[in-house]
Amino acid sequence: MFTRSIFDKNNYKIEHTQLELFYNSQWDKPGPPSLWYITYKVCITILLCSLTAAHIVSTLDRLGVKWLIFLTNQGMLLLILHNLVHLFIIIKKRLFPSPPQLPQLPLIYKISWSLQTISSAHALFVSILYWSVVHGYVVEHMLLLNPADWVYNFFLHAFNTVSCLLDLLLSARPISLFHAYLPVIFGLGYSLFSLIYWICGGDGICAPSLCDLKDFPSPILIHRIPHSIDEEIATECPIECAPFIYPMLDWSNEPLLAVIVTLGGCVAVPLCHAVFWGVFRVRLALWKQLKGGKKEKNLPVETEINIIEQGQHIGTDDN
């Protein structure tokens, strides 16, 4: 029964019996990873790395090392790490085909699977949160100063999720609902980080105060203004910094809101993970229809309920 499986600790382990699912594409033939799949992984990894590096450079004058304190940016770094580790596994498998399956997943496979699970759920969470809550604020206060900022904004808050969805549709990796705790742990870790950061005196984005000049919008700590005006005001007005990383995690003025947001994230993130599980099931259904089921490759096609009732891990084959 599904209810009993929730209390089975084995379902929460990062284990699987089919190693080929972690280095092949769902649409490949049996054997080593195909060249097209390797090419795709190389291109997407280079794209993620290059645009992230460009964004870091473009914000050095505004953020500096504070670039690292934001959840969006940490999530992007995690996504890059996932792609680098996965690319290493794929290329190694292509160059050095291994003998028969091992009794359990090697450590690097477990790390790669965990990174994918965490980065995917948080990418979707960041995208939904940003476009539904934050984007209007960003536009209202003119935080996007030039076309490049708009490109980076789309990259960090939309392309992150698009890349995860594309990767899931092309790869043969399974998704386990029982692994939803992994992104939750990462999210709780970030909330704890923001709390410790505040306790240690850390602050958010800094900008010149607009003082009492009535010709400008009301002072907003994270408001950005053109450099020409910025330099003029800076000579007379002090630099002010936000006492928080995100307004919804303002531990000094709104601690209750910060707690509520943290607890809400513990609910929202597993739902985001469930979305990717749904995409995983759709991918298997499409593969079964287009490729003729299991005739070509021993990939999982059973429903999760059937697998659970048979006492097997999600994604395993019962034949």
Side-chain angles (χ1 to χ4, degrees):
M1 295 294 293
F2 181 77
T3 305
R4 289 202 305 268
S5 68
I6 296 177
F7 301 100
D8 185 354
K9 63 181 181 180
N10 290 323
N11 287 324
Y12 298 91
K13 294 180 179 180
I14 313 298
E15 291 290 353
H16 207 286
T17 58
Q18 293 176 269
L19 269 67
E20 68 271 17
L21 301 182
F22 294 88
Y23 54 76
N24 272 339
S25 167
Q26 181 82 52
W27 313 98
D28 273 344
K29 296 180 179 180
S34 62
L35 289 177
W36 78 262
Y37 188 51
I38 294 176
T39 302
Y40 150 72
K41 290 299 297 186
V42 169
C43 291
I44 198 70
T45 303
I46 291 176
L47 182 61
L48 291 172
C49 290
S50 57
L51 285 178
T52 300
H55 182 250
I56 293 174
V57 172
S58 71
T59 57
L60 282 177
D61 61 329
R62 288 177 275 176
L63 299 178
V65 295
K66 286 184 180 179
W67 189 90
L68 293 169
I69 69 177
F70 296 96
L71 178 62
T72 297
N73 299 337
Q74 291 186 16
M76 181 56 68
L77 291 179
L78 200 67
L79 183 59
I80 290 174
L81 181 59
H82 150 59
N83 278 275
L84 287 172
V85 174
H86 193 203
L87 180 60
F88 171 80
I89 291 174
I90 293 173
I91 292 179
K92 182 181 178 182
K93 192 67 180 182
R94 176 74 185 191
L95 297 177
F96 309 102
S98 57
Q101 297 214 110
L102 300 174
Q104 62 181 9
L105 281 182
L107 178 60
I108 192 170
Y109 282 62
K110 295 180 181 180
I111 293 174
S112 178
W113 197 10
S114 299
L115 287 173
Q116 181 201 27
T117 301
I118 297 172
S119 61
S120 298
H122 274 276
L124 181 57
F125 176 74
V126 165
S127 295
I128 293 175
L129 186 64
Y130 175 81
W131 294 107
S132 63
V133 178
V134 181
H135 182 67
Y137 177 89
V138 170
V139 172
E140 179 184 354
H141 295 98
M142 298 175 291
L143 300 182
L144 302 175
L145 303 179
N146 50 58
D149 281 352
W150 284 91
V151 172
Y152 293 134
N153 186 56
F154 178 84
F155 168 69
L156 291 170
H157 301 110
F159 186 75
N160 57 342
T161 298
V162 171
S163 68
C164 291
L165 289 171
L166 179 63
D167 193 60
L168 182 58
L169 289 172
L170 293 180
S171 75
R173 288 189 175 207
I175 298 290
S176 170
L177 283 177
F178 294 107
H179 293 168
Y181 68 91
L182 292 172
V184 171
I185 291 175
F186 178 79
L188 288 174
Y190 181 80
S191 290
L192 180 61
F193 159 75
S194 70
L195 175 60
I196 295 174
Y197 182 78
W198 166 71
I199 292 175
C200 294
D203 49 36
I205 297 177
C206 299
S209 168
L210 297 181
C211 301
D212 295 324
L213 299 179
K214 296 181 180 180
D215 294 334
F216 300 102
S218 58
I220 299 295
L221 291 179
I222 62 174
H223 180 61
R224 287 291 302 163
I225 51 182
H227 288 293
S228 58
I229 302 177
D230 181 64
E231 293 171 359
E232 179 180 344
I233 295 178
T235 61
E236 301 178 4
C237 304
I239 298 294
E240 293 187 4
C241 299
F244 47 73
I245 301 176
Y246 292 106
M248 67 282 290
L249 291 176
D250 186 357
W251 296 101
S252 58
N253 300 312
E254 299 286 348
L256 179 59
L257 175 62
V259 172
I260 292 175
V261 169
T262 299
L263 295 178
C266 292
V267 176
V269 170
L271 293 177
C272 292
H273 178 72
V275 170
F276 280 96
W277 177 83
V279 174
F280 160 63
R281 302 309 304 181
V282 169
R283 185 193 78 202
L284 292 184
L286 287 174
W287 176 84
K288 185 177 181 180
Q289 291 296 321
L290 298 175
K291 293 291 185 177
K294 298 182 183 180
K295 295 179 181 179
E296 186 174 349
K297 191 174 184 179
N298 186 30
L299 291 177
V301 296
E302 298 84 1
T303 63
E304 186 168 353
I305 298 296
N306 290 338
I307 292 172
I308 291 172
E309 290 177 347
Q310 297 172 23
Q312 297 178 347
H313 292 304
I314 296 171
T316 57
D317 195 290
D318 61 351
N319 290 337

